[in-house]
Amino acid sequence: MKTLIANWKMNVGIRESVALARGTLLTLRGRKLIPELVICPSTIALSEVRKVVARSSVSLGAQNVFWESKGPYTGEISTRMLQEVGVSYVILGHSERRQELHETDEMIHKKVLYVLSEQMTPILCIGESKQQREAGQTQEVIRAQLISALSQVYVRGSERVLIAYEPVWAIGSGEASSVGEVIEIHQYIRSFLQELFPGVSSQQLPILYGGSVDGENAYGFLREEMIDGLLIGGASIKINQFNDIVEAAGEVLEAQGT
Ligand code: PEP
């Protein structure tokens, strides 16, 4: 299986989100094999987008959540509220939130625990900055982020935790990481996850890549067995680009006979 996560960020309002969701459904039409597809509109557009994707195979994700079910947390949103509008996935630890909103590892950890306890699926974003990469600290940074976010986490039954490896320097920069480098890091993450979660299958802990993926480079990532899918920002709101990415995923699935 290959998974595509479309992160629309704070880029489109309600009307545009509905149009984009309709366009996204059209990209799936007539395809024999389709990837697992999760679209993550802004919170305000979720309920309208839900109406569009309700009877499709597309799932809804949120871009953030709080770690309590209710209470005096002005401006925050709970898992229950998200579930009311059909959300089953939540992006957590995105570098934009780590940087712009000073979200700490501790906060991300609380959110991961909370989302899992509410039977939702976290999409945990990890990745090194340019300086960390240049200082040769990539593995160290990723390891620390995984340890912090996933401590006391148990992946039981059919639960899943999606890991999105997103080097910060590649996000929105137009400069995607090379496939070779991504494979190397994914191998590192995979072996570390096996240590953290012995006996849990890799299908329950898929590792995705994110960072300047577009219609042209998507196939190169998706054809690699080590790369379970992609988290796409900018190209997910350009319907032609996204169509090419979905098509690339379909080709890979067909070639794999899955
Ligand atoms: C992202 O939003 O996590 C992302 C990878 O964005 P982009 O595809 O625009 O680099």
Side-chain angles (χ1 to χ4, degrees), residues 18 26 50 58 81 83 110 122 140 147 150 160 166 172 194 202 219 234 242 255:
V18 166
L26 284 179
R50 180 199 198 178
V58 174
M81 294 169 186
Q83 283 167 338
K110 284 195 209 174
E140 199 183 308
I147 290 176
L150 299 176
R160 294 163 82 213
E166 301 209 293
Q194 276 160 356
S202 53
Y219 184 79
F242 198 64

Side-chain angles (χ1 to χ4, degrees), residues 180-199:
E181 254 182 286
V182 173
I183 290 174
E184 204 179 296
I185 306 295
H186 278 214
Q187 269 161 346
Y188 176 76
I189 297 172
R190 176 60 65 212
S191 61
F192 190 51
L193 289 177
Q194 276 160 356
E195 261 178 57
L196 284 181
F197 301 101

Side-chain angles (χ1 to χ4, degrees), residues 56 122 126 145 198 218 252:
S56 74
I126 56 170
Q145 288 173 338
V252 169

Side-chain angles (χ1 to χ4, degrees), residues 36 102 108 110 123 150 164-166 249:
E36 176 185 34
H102 307 290
I108 295 159
K110 284 195 209 174
I123 302 163
L150 299 176
Y165 168 58
E166 301 209 293

Side-chain angles (χ1 to χ4, degrees), residues 7 9 94 96 125 166 170-173 210-213 231-235:
N7 177 13
K9 311 196 188 194
H94 194 283
E96 287 155 10
C125 300
E166 301 209 293
I171 296 177
S173 65
S212 294
V213 170
L231 196 161
I232 306 127

Side-chain angles (χ1 to χ4, degrees), residues 57-203:
S57 60
V58 174
S59 302
L60 263 191
Q63 298 175 17
N64 183 36
V65 75
F66 194 61
W67 57 78
E68 296 284 347
S69 59
K70 65 188 288 192
Y73 306 105
T74 303
E76 292 297 333
I77 187 143
S78 73
T79 49
R80 305 266 164 96
M81 294 169 186
L82 293 176
Q83 283 167 338
E84 274 187 68
V85 289
V87 168
S88 47
Y89 293 76
V90 188
I91 297 176
L92 297 175
H94 194 283
S95 66
E96 287 155 10
R97 294 196 61 83
R98 292 183 193 254
Q99 283 177 341
E100 304 294 329
L101 293 141
H102 307 290
E103 230 175 65
T104 62
D105 282 337
E106 195 193 338
M107 290 156 84
I108 295 159
H109 178 223
K110 284 195 209 174
K111 293 181 182 194
V112 171
L113 286 176
Y114 196 66
V115 163
L116 277 168
S117 75
E118 293 285 301
Q119 288 81 49
M120 296 171 88
T121 303
I123 302 163
L124 172 66
C125 300
I126 56 170
E128 81 287 0
S129 67
K130 198 177 180 70
Q131 293 92 309
Q132 289 164 332
R133 178 184 192 229
E134 284 166 0
Q137 295 168 340
T138 299
Q139 292 192 357
E140 199 183 308
V141 168
I142 284 168
R143 189 183 175 88
Q145 288 173 338
L146 286 171
I147 290 176
S148 160
L150 299 176
S151 72
Q152 299 157 318
V153 165
Y154 302 95
V155 182
R156 300 187 182 94
S158 60
E159 283 175 353
R160 294 163 82 213
V161 177
L162 275 58
I163 309 292
Y165 168 58
E166 301 209 293
V168 179
W169 48 271
I171 296 177
S173 65
E175 191 197 335
S177 185
S178 72
V179 174
E181 254 182 286
V182 173
I183 290 174
E184 204 179 296
I185 306 295
H186 278 214
Q187 269 161 346
Y188 176 76
I189 297 172
R190 176 60 65 212
S191 61
F192 190 51
L193 289 177
Q194 276 160 356
E195 261 178 57
L196 284 181
F197 301 101
V200 176
S201 75
S202 53
Q203 284 96 314

